[in-house]
Amino acid sequence: DGGITQSPKYLFRKEGQNVTLSCEQNLNHDAMYWYRQDPGQGLRLIYYSQIVNDFQKGDIAEGYSVSREKKESFPLTVTSAQKNPTAFYLCASSFRNLGQLHPSGANVLTFGAGSRLTVL
Amino acid sequence: EDQVTQSPEALRLQEGESSSLNCSYTVSGLRGLFWYRQDPGKGPEFLFTLYSAGEEKEKERLKATLTKKESFLHITAPKPEDSATYLCAVQRMTTDSWGKLQFGAGTQVVVTP
């Protein structure tokens, strides 16, 4: 079945450590995204990528880094510069940029199951 | 700046007790409004896209409607399996192709037998 796989599901980080969250999709989607979810807040965009070897900052990119070396993969690194990294991280993908309609008429985000990062 | 406000924050229903969730939005030119369902500890799952005022979409016990300022998600005769957090998101009409979504904080729905 096609979908998005995020790993690990739970991750603990010590102060000063960098950690990397994995995101792999087999949907043949061009665009991929990372969101952060905190209690009582809407999903906030960290980074997005429209094509391989290209990515753009979202609303809260400080303290995070990404790479897009393969169409299927979009890993997120949470660096020690991120002051409050404890959160639920969601990876998503879409057929193309959300501004472009899918031939079916709907171009929507498909999400992974998420990774919960806790700072010790 | 685009804003999305969902109300109520939480809703507790008896099985069979119909109710509505509200999503109020402020956006300069709406391209689309999206509803997602999120179960605890999981990623959101797509439910509906609405594009223009007056549009309605249905799926099982759920019905989404859209006006120029808000959207409603009606849950008719809910069952315990409808318990989830329901997220609303809007997409602005822009000249760039990227089409960023602005999400609300969600409404947590609990349906008890």
Side-chain angles (χ1 to χ4, degrees):
Chain A
D1 288 338
I4 300 178
T5 301
Q6 290 188 240
S7 62
K9 189 164 180 62
Y10 300 97
L11 187 59
F12 299 90
R13 192 192 92 169
K14 294 181 179 179
E15 296 279 352
Q17 278 185 337
N18 293 352
V19 293
T20 297
L21 308 181
S22 170
C23 177
E24 303 276 336
Q25 56 99 357
N26 61 2
L27 299 166
N28 199 30
H29 283 172
D30 293 305
M32 297 187 73
Y33 314 78
W34 275 103
Y35 285 89
R36 170 178 171 144
Q37 187 173 35
D38 295 283
Q41 296 191 42
L43 274 63
R44 292 182 290 168
L45 183 67
I46 305 173
Y47 268 97
Y48 65 99
S49 169
Q50 300 177 31
I51 57 172
V52 173
N53 292 322
D54 185 57
F55 47 83
Q56 286 79 41
K57 293 181 179 180
D59 299 321
I60 56 166
E62 185 175 351
Y64 299 97
S65 66
V66 293
S67 62
R68 186 88 185 275
E69 297 177 0
K70 298 187 301 181
K71 183 176 181 177
E72 301 79 18
S73 178
F74 192 41
L76 173 73
T77 297
V78 185
T79 75
S80 57
Q82 171 49 236
K83 299 304 179 188
N84 183 23
T86 295
F88 190 53
Y89 290 88
L90 288 160
C91 179
S93 68
S94 64
F95 174 65
R96 287 180 185 165
N97 313 324
L98 290 174
Q100 296 176 318
L101 289 178
H102 189 276
S104 70
N107 187 11
V108 298
L109 289 175
T110 299
F111 286 89
S115 293
R116 185 166 298 280
L117 173 62
T118 303
V119 174
L120 300 174
Chain B
E1 184 176 315
D2 302 341
Q3 281 198 319
V4 180
T5 304
Q6 292 189 246
S7 62
E9 291 183 8
L11 188 61
R12 193 172 185 90
L13 301 171
Q14 291 278 345
E15 185 172 2
E17 178 189 359
S18 300
S19 188
S20 295
L21 315 181
N22 178 266
C23 172
S24 297
Y25 62 90
T26 304
V27 62
S28 54
L30 179 72
R31 184 188 182 101
L33 184 142
F34 302 79
W35 282 99
Y36 282 85
R37 169 194 168 121
Q38 185 175 23
D39 293 310
K42 296 188 178 180
E45 178 185 333
F46 171 72
L47 291 174
F48 305 108
T49 306
L50 301 167
Y51 293 104
S52 57
E55 189 175 1
E56 298 181 351
K57 288 194 177 172
E58 287 188 69
K59 180 179 180 180
E60 296 181 352
R61 295 175 293 282
L62 300 178
K63 179 180 177 180
T65 62
L66 181 65
T67 73
K68 289 186 177 180
K69 293 184 178 181
E70 58 193 348
S71 176
F72 292 94
L73 185 65
H74 308 277
I75 310 178
T76 303
K79 298 182 178 182
E81 52 262 42
D82 294 322
S83 297
T85 296
Y86 291 87
L87 304 176
C88 170
V90 297
Q91 183 181 47
R92 185 202 302 176
M93 197 83 71
T94 60
T95 54
D96 63 71
S97 63
W98 122 249
K100 173 187 163 184
L101 296 187
Q102 183 74 34
F103 281 87
T107 294
Q108 183 181 25
V109 174
V110 174
V111 182
T112 57

